[in-house]
Amino acid sequence: MDPILVEVTRGGRVESAHHGAAAVIDASGKVVFSAGDIDTAIFPRSAVKSMQALPMVETGAAARLGLTDAEIALACSSHNGEEIHTAVAASMLAKAGRDVSCLECGTHWPSHDASARKLAAAGLTPSALHNNCSGKHSGFICLSCDQGHDPKGYIGPDHPAMRMITAALSEMTGTVLDERNRGTDGCSIPTFAIPLRGIAHGFARYGTGNGMAPDRAAAAAKIRAAVTANPMMVAGTKRFDTLMMQAMGARVFCKGGAEGVFCASLPELGYGIAVKCDDGAGRAAQVVGAALIERFLRPEGEAGQAVARLARPALENWNKIHVGDLRPAAALA
Amino acid sequence: MDPILVEVTRGGRVESAHHGAAAVIDASGKVVFSAGDIDTAIFPRSAVKSMQALPMVETGAAARLGLTDAEIALACSSHNGEEIHTAVAASMLAKAGRDVSCLECGTHWPSHDASARKLAAAGLTPSALHNNCSGKHSGFICLSCDQGHDPKGYIGPDHPAMRMITAALSEMTGTVLDERNRGTDGCSIPTFAIPLRGIAHGFARYGTGNGMAPDRAAAAAKIRAAVTANPMMVAGTKRFDTLMMQAMGARVFCKGGAEGVFCASLPELGYGIAVKCDDGAGRAAQVVGAALIERFLRPEGEAGQAVARLARPALENWNKIHVGDLRPAAALA
């Protein structure tokens, strides 16, 4: 049984509690910190988008297509579907000579409620560009086209572009990925179950280049720089990953994933972080991530205050009354 | 440690799991079924709105003001903010000689996304009528006005109407409610921590009238009839409580609450159900509720199929691909 990592309080009591596991691993593979079971495979979901974006950069596809840093950042995003996101996804597709009709992620209203309402108020409906994964998919299409593959069917595990993407994820996490540990993600691409230990080690390597081929290490550095310089691209208004990287800059390279996953690289320490909340709660994975970042990087000043707010967010009700808090539990102390 | 009650699968694996506690109690207070710790106090949140509505009916206020069954049902709701909900809340306030300006619940966009977008498309913004608790608050205002109290400040624990409401909740659950177990709810009224055992026993009594004063028993029967005849009022389009009572009619009287709470009366068996998922997950509380209803009522035909879908909901992604399921865990078998 994994320990309680996060508590939710109300009226001075613990109202709810989140169990989970967390691994902090250095680039040599040594465990710096762990809580709970870090060896059972979990689905990292969207938290590994930056690993899935490696082939697009390391092959030179991004450079040949002239992708900007904002576009590379969007390829690693689970975005809000705000106008800045859909415009950048459309631009990526145009650079690949394609358009929205190539996207195979499905369509949903923007995750960002105000953007959804704005779209509706304009008498419009969403397209696949508004899907939170459209940047990642646009990146896959860029890779396919650059490599001379018809992007049609790129979401399938046997498409040549997806094979490259899965191979990169496998190498980075040191895990064999095949039909035995494969599921289907929300955007229809394969998602693979991988132990937290391997994911965290992968992010330690991602942040340092340690043990990586030169092209891959350079691609990782390029993507980290692009994402941390464009934190609005990777998520959006009021979102955790955006706020964290706005506060911490290049000191933190992070990404959440569905069902309570959070991953990060802390390049200056050479650490990788991987978190899975057993119950799938994103709110808890974020608190764990912020608490570990606070613990290991000890940010000060405004950045320190911003990270503290993310590690111990206050819960306010509709009348802005402070009714409770989320807080890291003893296992993270 | 409470047992796992619900599992979330993907790709043939358990991706996430929800721990929790559940109590099924008969009207004499005997435990029919339990899982986990049913004696530690939890905040039932909105799941006890029907208990908080008792004073409005048992005092005769609802009858004197001419409240319809739909209006009484809305007083027990956490509604979607659809037009049918806001219209009924406005009608309740009008019958009390008041209007939206009296509501102290705060304002938010309709929980029902399509209704929020429709409002925005019409160039409108939400009012307190759209707050999911506006029906309950309108009921509190009806009670206040009928009893000759200025409704101003009705959300405070010492307002005379709130004292009546808290006294009803205390008597129904057999629990002393005071500042020692009090928190503040999302809509700013007091919420009290109460053991699942007491809550479930309260709902067993609610469904049978057992051990209740005649006026209170009659009020409970009136409210049950009003809610189960108007299941759209208590929640709304595609919502669990609405779907459950549409399928089961008066055989189930149920209500979810924030942070993973679910309560129900099964009048024909004289059972009350109370569920708390430790992590606060509503999706899991619903699966537990549906699984217990299925187990004890054994619905057949279309109702049985509807309850089975609620107990084992399929997870589909944006391309309508079936990627996993929620399912009751062994502790509920």
Side-chain angles (χ1 to χ4, degrees):
Chain A
M1 166 56 47
D2 289 331
I4 291 174
L5 297 183
V6 175
E7 292 170 330
V8 184
T9 65
R10 181 178 299 267
R13 292 167 182 260
V14 174
E15 180 170 26
S16 301
H18 298 277
H19 294 257
V24 183
I25 310 271
D26 74 14
S28 75
K30 182 171 141 269
V31 176
V32 177
F33 170 88
S34 78
D37 172 11
I38 65 170
D39 291 309
T40 294
I42 63 100
F43 288 113
R45 309 289 301 274
S46 291
V48 293
K49 281 178 174 172
S50 62
M51 292 182 179
Q52 296 168 310
L54 285 168
M56 180 185 80
V57 176
E58 72 191 12
T59 57
R64 280 186 292 275
L65 295 174
L67 297 190
T68 64
D69 277 1
E71 289 165 344
I72 291 172
L74 197 77
C76 304
S77 75
S78 297
H79 65 70
N80 268 347
E82 300 176 64
E83 286 174 9
I84 53 165
H85 301 125
T86 56
V88 170
S91 168
M92 294 173 74
L93 291 168
K95 288 180 178 177
R98 304 283 170 160
D99 65 18
V100 60
S101 66
C102 270
L103 287 172
E104 300 181 6
C105 47
T107 294
H108 62 75
W109 285 90
S111 318
H112 184 242
D113 288 339
S115 295
R117 294 192 299 261
K118 187 174 177 184
L119 200 64
L124 302 173
T125 53
S127 75
L129 292 170
H130 295 91
N131 185 304
N132 74 92
C133 293
S134 71
K136 175 182 70 176
H137 281 245
S138 296
F140 293 170
I141 291 168
C142 285
L143 173 66
S144 295
C145 292
D146 177 80
Q147 298 289 301
H149 305 303
D150 181 351
K152 188 172 166 53
Y154 69 87
I155 57 175
D158 295 325
H159 186 279
M162 191 57 70
R163 285 184 180 276
M164 296 171 73
I165 292 158
T166 301
L169 183 60
S170 173
E171 187 273 328
M172 288 300 295
T173 58
T175 306
V176 176
L177 306 180
D178 59 26
E179 64 284 357
R180 290 168 297 180
N181 53 5
R182 194 170 72 206
T184 303
D185 214 323
C187 65
S188 300
I189 71 161
T191 180
F192 294 95
I194 306 172
L196 284 180
R197 183 191 296 271
I199 301 167
H201 188 199
F203 276 102
R205 295 171 62 217
Y206 207 110
T208 57
N210 189 292
M212 292 165 72
D215 285 355
R216 179 154 292 176
K222 171 76 176 165
I223 292 171
R224 284 197 289 111
V227 165
T228 56
N230 293 277
M232 267 300 283
M233 281 297 139
V234 82
T237 302
K238 293 192 181 175
R239 289 273 302 279
F240 180 91
D241 292 325
T242 297
L243 295 171
M244 177 61 78
M245 291 189 281
Q246 283 175 338
M248 294 296 289
R251 299 183 70 193
V252 173
F253 173 68
C254 68
K255 181 76 181 70
E259 290 294 328
V261 179
F262 177 80
C263 294
S265 294
L266 309 183
E268 72 195 58
L269 298 174
Y271 294 173
I273 296 173
V275 176
K276 165 71 182 180
C277 288
D278 298 346
D279 54 65
R283 67 178 182 182
Q286 293 170 355
V287 165
V288 176
L292 292 172
I293 287 165
E294 192 174 48
R295 172 183 176 147
F296 288 107
L297 290 183
R298 301 187 175 281
E300 296 181 344
E302 283 186 23
Q305 290 166 20
V307 175
R309 281 192 297 273
L310 295 171
R312 284 170 292 281
L315 299 175
E316 291 189 346
N317 74 4
W318 299 113
N319 286 324
K320 304 282 182 198
I321 297 170
H322 178 207
V323 294
D325 297 275
L326 272 72
R327 66 186 185 199
L332 293 173
Chain B
M1 166 56 47
D2 289 331
I4 291 174
L5 297 183
V6 174
E7 292 171 330
V8 184
T9 66
R10 181 177 299 266
R13 293 169 181 260
V14 173
E15 180 171 24
S16 301
H18 298 278
H19 294 256
V24 183
I25 311 272
D26 74 14
S28 75
K30 183 170 140 268
V31 176
V32 176
F33 170 88
S34 78
D37 172 11
I38 65 169
D39 291 309
T40 294
I42 63 100
F43 287 113
R45 309 289 300 273
S46 291
V48 293
K49 282 179 174 173
S50 62
M51 292 181 179
Q52 295 168 309
L54 285 167
M56 180 186 79
V57 177
E58 70 190 13
T59 57
R64 278 186 294 274
L65 295 174
L67 296 190
T68 64
D69 277 1
E71 289 165 345
I72 291 171
L74 196 77
C76 304
S77 76
S78 297
H79 65 71
N80 267 348
E82 300 176 64
E83 288 175 8
I84 53 165
H85 302 125
T86 55
V88 170
S91 168
M92 294 172 74
L93 291 168
K95 288 180 178 178
R98 304 283 170 160
D99 65 18
V100 60
S101 66
C102 269
L103 287 172
E104 299 180 6
C105 47
T107 294
H108 63 74
W109 285 90
S111 319
H112 185 242
D113 288 339
S115 295
R117 295 192 299 262
K118 187 173 177 184
L119 200 64
L124 301 173
T125 53
S127 74
L129 292 171
H130 295 92
N131 184 305
N132 74 92
C133 293
S134 71
K136 175 183 70 176
H137 281 245
S138 297
F140 292 170
I141 290 168
C142 285
L143 174 66
S144 295
C145 293
D146 176 80
Q147 298 288 301
H149 305 303
D150 181 350
K152 188 172 166 53
Y154 70 87
I155 57 175
D158 294 325
H159 186 280
M162 190 57 70
R163 285 184 179 276
M164 295 172 72
I165 292 158
T166 301
L169 183 60
S170 173
E171 186 273 328
M172 287 301 295
T173 59
T175 306
V176 175
L177 306 181
D178 59 27
E179 64 284 357
R180 289 168 298 180
N181 53 5
R182 192 170 73 206
T184 303
D185 215 323
C187 66
S188 300
I189 71 161
T191 181
F192 295 94
I194 306 171
L196 283 181
R197 183 191 296 270
I199 300 167
H201 187 200
F203 276 101
R205 296 171 61 216
Y206 206 109
T208 58
N210 189 293
M212 293 165 75
D215 285 355
R216 179 154 292 175
K222 171 76 176 166
I223 292 171
R224 284 197 290 110
V227 166
T228 56
N230 293 278
M232 268 299 285
M233 281 298 139
V234 82
T237 301
K238 292 192 181 176
R239 289 273 302 279
F240 180 92
D241 293 324
T242 297
L243 295 171
M244 177 60 78
M245 291 189 280
Q246 283 174 337
M248 294 297 289
R251 299 184 69 194
V252 174
F253 173 68
C254 67
K255 181 77 183 68
E259 290 294 328
V261 178
F262 177 79
C263 294
S265 294
L266 310 183
E268 72 195 59
L269 298 174
Y271 293 173
I273 296 173
V275 176
K276 165 72 182 180
C277 288
D278 298 346
D279 54 63
R283 67 178 182 181
Q286 292 169 355
V287 165
V288 177
L292 292 172
I293 288 165
E294 193 175 47
R295 171 181 176 147
F296 289 107
L297 291 183
R298 300 187 174 282
E300 296 182 343
E302 284 186 23
Q305 290 165 19
V307 175
R309 282 193 296 274
L310 295 171
R312 282 170 294 281
L315 299 175
E316 291 189 346
N317 74 4
W318 299 113
N319 286 324
K320 304 282 181 197
I321 297 170
H322 178 206
V323 294
D325 298 275
L326 273 73
R327 66 186 186 200
L332 293 173

